Amino acid sequence: MHAQAMIATHPDVQGATNESLIRCIEACYDCAQACISCADACIGEPMVAELKTCIRLNLDCADVCTAAGAVASRRTASNERVIEMLLDTCAEACRLCGDECGRHAARHEHCRICAETCQACERACRDAARSVRSSKH
Amino acid sequence: MHAQAMIATHPDVQGATNESLIRCIEACYDCAQACISCADACIGEPMVAELKTCIRLNLDCADVCTAAGAVASRRTASNERVIEMLLDTCAEACRLCGDECGRHAARHEHCRICAETCQACERACRDAARSVRSSKH
Amino acid sequence: MHAQAMIATHPDVQGATNESLIRCIEACYDCAQACISCADACIGEPMVAELKTCIRLNLDCADVCTAAGAVASRRTASNERVIEMLLDTCAEACRLCGDECGRHAARHEHCRICAETCQACERACRDAARSVRSSKH
Amino acid sequence: MHAQAMIATHPDVQGATNESLIRCIEACYDCAQACISCADACIGEPMVAELKTCIRLNLDCADVCTAAGAVASRRTASNERVIEMLLDTCAEACRLCGDECGRHAARHEHCRICAETCQACERACRDAARSVRSSKH
């Protein structure tokens, strides 16, 4: 992704990027794609009926990650309160989806990979939320 | 919108819809469209440079509303914690965007209408979040 | 929705709205919500394994409708070629999803309502695409 | 991104991935993020009024890329006609946005990087659309 290069050239940023926020943006897009794929793969499994909770959490997680990746990409003016709350929500969506995918990881490789992607995104969101909070003081 | 009819026919709902959640879904889609339109109209104004904050809050609000409308529409399994946090985030995005649009309401009719739409969506999100919280007890 | 009021107040529109485009924007948001709901209701059905194609077409249709509703809402500068192609794509996504939902309409009320919503959105997209094409001449 | 690993483990794919489709999915998410960033950076520029067309094309391109990345990620059942049309639309959105960003590349580094990202995504969409078309015969 070009998130680092794009944000570094924003007129108000001029190279002084928040690295944890950029890692979070990349993690959110990665996780959105993985959750869309995992929901789709679950729907294609013969035992789809046992994967209902997983599919639902995947779809919710993808929607929240897509919104978080977009909102965290913006640097014009400021909207820190919304970024913080959205990153906290995204971390929670990733935690719950990662836990549920983890329950199916032994049987479904797509759930195993998606669980890891969710966990990585959860960590990235928590780090970025912390950096946004600390930069306000 | 058909949100009421669609959710009422979900196999786990069977007519017992949460009315405040359905009003919230409709308000989120309405507000997403209004914020996309308002950002676009602001970009088209001769004084666009004075509307930077408004455009940024509009774009963020549209992204959060779109995600909230989708997540609040799902009734399979449950994801109450994420719904609650996302509705709280959406209420905050609407509050801040509505306040900023309100500052330009006297000069720009699109900002005036968008401010009202944001305020209505903020109320709908707070009501729905309250109903989700109370249904957990 | 406030699509009509919002677009009518755009500085380059000033009241001269394209009515078929506005009906299309509203139909796209309505259809996006209905398809998200129908996919979710299908996932909650005991016979979910028979509804795989329906779920997949619902999710695709929701994504295309969401994008079409946003792109068709913008009036600053112009992007007619993309609007036309996206409305044609959306009409096709709605046609295929409406047909598939129609096959399950007798057994699932959510599929029946979603099929009608898709068909209405298909018509609205075709009308709007035609109006965009004719306005170029 | 984990698109390759996720799609390779889909029950209907089982390792036989379409490489050009996977490169396209990654390019779409990359381009969506770059266009959101470029619109935001343009809004933050002192000469924002000269960048209206660029901002509008960026926002449209981001919406189409986000939808294309999602739809192209699904492998359950099939929806080739919609994928093809959406990839063609996305290629066109990227071409027009890349051309416009290219006009501002000498003055704005974010436009230069975004133009390249759009051109790469256009090529990836055209390759993937060709591979979807040829796989139908």
Side-chain angles (χ1 to χ4, degrees):
Chain A
M1 295 202 94
H2 292 77
Q4 160 72 34
M6 288 303 302
I7 293 171
T9 56
H10 186 290
D12 300 344
V13 174
Q14 301 204 32
T17 51
N18 173 335
E19 297 306 312
S20 67
L21 199 59
I22 285 167
R23 276 193 301 272
C24 174
I25 293 166
E26 294 177 338
C28 283
Y29 281 100
D30 189 9
C31 195
Q33 195 283 326
C35 285
I36 288 169
S37 271
C38 191
D40 175 64
C42 287
I43 292 162
E45 293 288 351
M47 57 182 45
V48 51
E50 299 170 36
L51 295 164
K52 287 177 188 203
T53 299
C54 193
I55 296 167
R56 196 268 167 91
L57 298 188
N58 271 319
L59 293 174
D60 283 0
C61 193
D63 287 330
V64 177
C65 283
T66 300
V71 170
S73 292
R74 297 194 182 101
R75 299 286 82 206
T76 293
S78 76
N79 203 8
E80 262 66 23
R81 179 80 182 122
V82 169
I83 291 183
E84 249 187 82
M85 291 179 78
L86 186 54
L87 293 181
D88 287 345
T89 305
C90 195
E92 192 67 7
C94 289
R95 183 180 72 80
L96 291 163
C97 187
D99 282 357
E100 180 63 26
C101 282
R103 277 177 206 114
H104 308 286
R107 297 189 73 175
H108 302 299
E109 186 67 1
H110 50 82
C111 287
R112 189 188 65 71
I113 302 165
C114 192
E116 286 182 8
T117 311
C118 287
Q119 286 152 8
C121 191
E122 181 196 351
R123 282 191 301 272
C125 287
R126 296 207 195 280
D127 285 350
R130 203 176 301 122
S131 80
V132 171
R133 266 186 275 273
S134 70
S135 71
K136 292 196 300 187
H137 306 301
Chain B
M1 296 202 94
H2 292 78
Q4 160 72 34
M6 287 303 304
I7 293 171
T9 55
H10 186 290
D12 300 344
V13 174
Q14 301 203 30
T17 51
N18 173 335
E19 296 307 312
S20 68
L21 199 59
I22 285 167
R23 276 193 301 272
C24 174
I25 293 165
E26 294 177 338
C28 283
Y29 282 100
D30 189 9
C31 194
Q33 196 283 325
C35 285
I36 289 169
S37 270
C38 192
D40 175 64
C42 287
I43 292 162
E45 292 289 351
M47 57 181 45
V48 51
E50 298 171 36
L51 295 163
K52 287 177 189 204
T53 299
C54 194
I55 297 168
R56 195 269 168 92
L57 298 188
N58 270 319
L59 294 174
D60 283 0
C61 193
D63 288 329
V64 177
C65 283
T66 301
V71 169
S73 291
R74 298 194 182 102
R75 300 285 83 206
T76 292
S78 76
N79 203 9
E80 262 67 22
R81 178 82 182 121
V82 170
I83 292 183
E84 249 186 82
M85 291 178 78
L86 187 54
L87 293 181
D88 287 344
T89 306
C90 195
E92 192 66 8
C94 289
R95 183 180 71 80
L96 291 163
C97 187
D99 283 356
E100 180 63 26
C101 282
R103 277 176 207 115
H104 308 284
R107 298 188 73 175
H108 302 299
E109 186 68 2
H110 49 82
C111 287
R112 189 189 64 72
I113 302 165
C114 191
E116 288 182 8
T117 311
C118 287
Q119 286 152 8
C121 191
E122 182 195 350
R123 282 191 300 272
C125 286
R126 296 207 195 280
D127 285 350
R130 202 176 301 121
S131 81
V132 171
R133 268 186 274 274
S134 70
S135 72
K136 293 196 300 188
H137 305 299
Chain C
M1 297 202 92
H2 292 77
Q4 160 72 35
M6 287 302 303
I7 293 172
T9 55
H10 186 290
D12 300 343
V13 174
Q14 303 205 31
T17 51
N18 173 336
E19 296 307 312
S20 68
L21 200 59
I22 286 167
R23 277 193 301 273
C24 174
I25 293 164
E26 294 177 338
C28 283
Y29 281 101
D30 188 8
C31 194
Q33 195 283 325
C35 284
I36 288 168
S37 271
C38 191
D40 175 63
C42 287
I43 293 163
E45 292 289 352
M47 58 182 44
V48 52
E50 298 170 35
L51 295 164
K52 288 177 187 203
T53 299
C54 194
I55 297 167
R56 195 272 167 89
L57 298 187
N58 271 319
L59 294 174
D60 283 359
C61 194
D63 287 330
V64 176
C65 284
T66 301
V71 170
S73 291
R74 298 194 182 100
R75 301 284 82 205
T76 292
S78 77
N79 203 9
E80 264 66 22
R81 178 80 183 123
V82 170
I83 292 182
E84 249 188 81
M85 291 179 77
L86 187 54
L87 293 181
D88 287 344
T89 305
C90 195
E92 192 67 8
C94 289
R95 184 181 71 80
L96 291 163
C97 187
D99 283 357
E100 180 63 27
C101 282
R103 278 178 206 114
H104 308 285
R107 300 188 73 176
H108 302 298
E109 186 69 0
H110 50 81
C111 286
R112 189 189 65 70
I113 302 164
C114 191
E116 287 182 7
T117 311
C118 287
Q119 285 151 9
C121 191
E122 182 196 350
R123 281 191 301 271
C125 286
R126 295 205 195 280
D127 286 349
R130 202 175 303 122
S131 81
V132 171
R133 266 185 273 274
S134 70
S135 73
K136 293 196 300 187
H137 306 299
Chain D
M1 297 202 91
H2 293 77
Q4 159 73 34
M6 287 304 302
I7 293 172
T9 55
H10 186 290
D12 300 345
V13 174
Q14 303 205 28
T17 51
N18 173 335
E19 296 307 312
S20 67
L21 200 59
I22 285 167
R23 276 193 301 273
C24 175
I25 294 165
E26 294 178 337
C28 283
Y29 282 100
D30 188 8
C31 195
Q33 195 283 326
C35 285
I36 289 168
S37 271
C38 191
D40 174 64
C42 287
I43 293 162
E45 293 288 351
M47 59 182 43
V48 52
E50 299 170 36
L51 295 164
K52 288 177 188 203
T53 299
C54 194
I55 297 168
R56 195 273 166 89
L57 298 188
N58 271 319
L59 294 174
D60 283 0
C61 194
D63 287 330
V64 177
C65 283
T66 301
V71 170
S73 291
R74 297 193 183 101
R75 301 285 80 203
T76 292
S78 75
N79 203 8
E80 263 68 19
R81 178 80 182 125
V82 170
I83 292 182
E84 249 187 81
M85 291 178 78
L86 187 54
L87 293 182
D88 287 344
T89 305
C90 195
E92 193 66 8
C94 289
R95 182 180 72 82
L96 292 163
C97 187
D99 282 356
E100 181 63 26
C101 282
R103 277 177 206 113
H104 308 285
R107 297 189 74 176
H108 302 299
E109 185 68 2
H110 49 81
C111 287
R112 190 189 64 71
I113 302 166
C114 192
E116 287 182 7
T117 311
C118 287
Q119 286 151 8
C121 191
E122 182 196 350
R123 281 192 301 272
C125 287
R126 295 207 196 279
D127 285 349
R130 202 175 302 121
S131 80
V132 171
R133 267 187 273 275
S134 70
S135 72
K136 293 197 300 187
H137 306 299

